[in-house]
């Protein structure tokens, strides 16, 4: 496994694989089984697999957890080597954003709801760094987790609008035994908070059960999630949503026949903010 720290090193490595298909898995490191599942999927669909590890300052708000975001590069590299990754790109902030950096890639509409409404500059940071990674690594396919549902919608829109010549592949959310979605941020949770955090999955399951029984009213789906979360004293709701999977706008009345729904939420446990979602399809 080869490691590149600069753009030039990354381009040299990429040229070494010319004529071969390459899958890219962008990450912020502190890897877990969710990331490794993306790597495994990429391995099955490409000749070569590259992983980027970069805690992208542009996607953190001024009051967010950039400074304490967990990092363990040695462990990450061991996991990636064991998973059979060919090449890891680990730039630092200066490499990605030198002093005269002045470009933002911005998707304007699908960024307005959900996470984008609470984290106003977050997706500008995501699309800017992902566009750079696509230009540096030139993958045939890039792998993203359903865990970050709006990120998938935003990146797909950018790829369509700017004609990036690659496919976006979305992989299912990998969960702990009690249903909690794996996340690098789970490390912040105390033992009590960690046990309470299963409420997100419980809330999604409750709304899914209603959906399976034919419930299509947006309010009823949101209320079901809210009532499960409200029963957990350590959980503080940031938002719960039942939205159109394409536009991400809230379902005002009812999901139309034949349409799916994206159930999603962000919940605080003290300062730690967790997100999760289910994408439900019409039955
Ligand atoms: P991050 O390092 O949190 O930026 O995540 C890097 C990629 O891994 C993103 O595409 C995430 O959606 C994906 N990812 C994170 N957690 C999970 C999970 N539990 N299951 C599947 N994919 C995940």
């Amino acid at each position: 496994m080869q490691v590149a720290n600069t753009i030039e090193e990354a381009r040299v490595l990429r040229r070494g694989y010319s004529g071969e298909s390459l899958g890219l898995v962008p990450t912020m490191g502190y890897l877990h089984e969710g990331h490794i599942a993306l790597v495994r999927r990429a391995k099955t669909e490409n000749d070569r697999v590259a992983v980027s590890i970069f805690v992208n300052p542009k996607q953190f708000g001024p009051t967010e957890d950039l400074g304490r975001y967990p990092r363990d590069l040695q462990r990450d590299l061991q996991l990636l080597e064991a998973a059979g990754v060919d090449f890891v790109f680990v730039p630092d902030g200066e490499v990605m954003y030198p002093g005269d950096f002045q470009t933002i890639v911005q998707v304007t509409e699908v960024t307005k709801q959900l996470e984008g409404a609470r984290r106003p500059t977050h997706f500008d940071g995501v699309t800017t760094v992902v566009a750079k990674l696509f230009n540096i690594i030139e993958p045939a396919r890039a792998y993203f987790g359903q865990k970050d549902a709006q990120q998938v919608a935003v990146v797909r829109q950018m790829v369509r609008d700017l004609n990036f010549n690659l496919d976006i592949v979305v992989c299912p959310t990998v969960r702990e035994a009690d249903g909690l979605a794996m996340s690098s941020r789970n490390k912040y949770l105390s033992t009590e908070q960690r046990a309470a955090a299963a409420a997100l999955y419980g809330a999604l399951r409750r709304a899914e059960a209603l959906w399976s029984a034919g419930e299509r009213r947006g309010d009823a789906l949101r209320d079901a999630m809210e009532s499960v979360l409200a029963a957990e004293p350590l959980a503080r709701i940031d938002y719960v949503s039942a939205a159109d999977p394409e536009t991400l706008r809230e379902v005002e009345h009812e999901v139309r026949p034949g349409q799916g729904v994206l159930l999603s939420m962000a919940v605080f446990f003290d300062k730690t903010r967790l997100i999760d979602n289910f994408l439900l399809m019409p039955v």
Side-chain angles (χ1 to χ4, degrees), residues 26-29 32 34-35 38 69 143-145 147-148 151 172-174 181-182:
T27 82
M28 299 204 299
H32 51 65
H35 299 111
L38 302 187
Y69 196 83
Y143 293 80
F144 292 86
K147 158 100 186 336
D148 298 278
Q151 172 167 276
T173 301
V174 178
M182 289 193 183

Side-chain angles (χ1 to χ4, degrees), residues 25-38 52-54 59 69 143-149 151-152 169-176 180-186 275-276:
V25 181
T27 82
M28 299 204 299
Y30 209 73
L31 302 178
H32 51 65
E33 194 50 41
H35 299 111
I36 302 302
L38 302 187
S52 60
I53 299 178
F54 179 57
Q59 70 189 68
Y69 196 83
Y143 293 80
F144 292 86
Q146 176 62 29
K147 158 100 186 336
D148 298 278
Q151 172 167 276
V152 168
V169 181
V170 183
C171 301
T173 301
V174 178
R175 298 178 180 281
E176 304 283 359
L180 176 66
M182 289 193 183
S183 164
S184 310
R185 290 189 167 99
N186 293 349
I275 59 171
D276 202 351

Side-chain angles (χ1 to χ4, degrees), residues 3-283:
V3 178
N5 295 116
T6 66
I7 314 287
E8 296 69 31
E9 287 165 4
R11 289 203 196 283
V12 169
L13 289 181
R14 180 65 185 99
R15 275 200 292 276
Y17 307 137
S18 64
E20 295 182 285
S21 65
L22 183 113
L24 171 66
V25 181
T27 82
M28 299 204 299
Y30 209 73
L31 302 178
H32 51 65
E33 194 50 41
H35 299 111
I36 302 302
L38 302 187
V39 168
R40 276 198 222 102
R41 173 80 178 270
K43 290 265 303 172
T44 67
E45 297 177 348
N46 300 276
D47 300 322
R48 301 285 182 176
V49 174
V51 174
S52 60
I53 299 178
F54 179 57
V55 182
N56 174 32
K58 288 198 189 294
Q59 70 189 68
F60 287 78
T63 62
E64 293 179 1
D65 57 342
L66 173 63
R68 63 179 189 132
Y69 196 83
R71 294 164 166 87
D72 190 342
L73 183 59
Q74 287 323 310
R75 182 172 167 278
D76 287 350
L77 293 177
Q78 281 165 13
L79 288 172
L80 296 178
E81 174 113 61
V85 167
D86 296 278
F87 140 38
V88 189
F89 179 46
V90 194
D92 66 15
E94 255 310 293
V95 162
M96 291 300 267
Y97 305 117
D100 66 341
F101 190 87
Q102 46 190 296
T103 300
I104 293 173
V105 179
Q106 185 174 61
V107 173
T108 57
E109 292 306 315
V110 79
T111 50
K112 283 188 174 146
Q113 290 80 25
L114 305 176
E115 290 297 292
R118 278 91 191 167
R119 307 179 69 192
T121 58
H122 172 67
F123 286 116
D124 289 356
V126 169
T127 41
T128 300
V129 82
V130 168
K132 285 173 67 73
L133 291 169
F134 288 173
N135 283 331
I136 296 162
I137 311 284
E138 298 181 55
R141 297 177 193 84
Y143 293 80
F144 292 86
Q146 176 62 29
K147 158 100 186 336
D148 298 278
Q150 190 173 15
Q151 172 167 276
V152 168
V154 171
V155 169
R156 278 194 195 287
Q157 188 70 45
M158 177 190 79
V159 165
R160 270 201 303 278
D161 289 351
L162 297 185
N163 312 101
F164 280 99
N165 189 19
L166 52 82
D167 291 329
I168 300 297
V169 181
V170 183
C171 301
T173 301
V174 178
R175 298 178 180 281
E176 304 283 359
D178 65 354
L180 176 66
M182 289 193 183
S183 164
S184 310
R185 290 189 167 99
N186 293 349
K187 177 188 159 63
Y188 299 145
L189 300 170
S190 69
T191 311
E192 294 74 24
Q193 290 169 338
R194 169 62 192 82
L200 280 80
Y201 183 66
L204 290 165
R205 288 294 298 263
R206 172 81 64 86
E208 180 186 47
L210 290 183
W211 172 267
S212 301
E215 181 60 77
R216 292 294 179 272
R217 290 171 299 162
D219 279 343
L221 295 168
R222 286 184 288 267
D223 287 350
M225 293 187 280
E226 252 170 44
S227 66
V228 173
L229 293 168
E232 178 41 71
L234 296 181
R236 184 164 55 83
I237 297 173
D238 189 4
Y239 67 85
V240 299
S241 161
D244 180 291
E246 299 288 318
T247 63
L248 307 188
R249 291 206 194 92
E250 288 305 312
V251 174
E252 296 285 351
H253 302 293
E254 289 199 7
V255 178
R256 288 193 306 279
Q259 303 287 304
V261 68
L262 178 69
L263 305 177
S264 68
M265 60 185 60
V267 180
F268 280 103
F269 293 84
D270 196 11
K271 290 187 180 53
T272 302
R273 185 175 181 277
L274 302 181
I275 59 171
D276 202 351
N277 70 85
F278 278 6
L279 177 58
L280 301 182
M281 290 308 181
V283 276

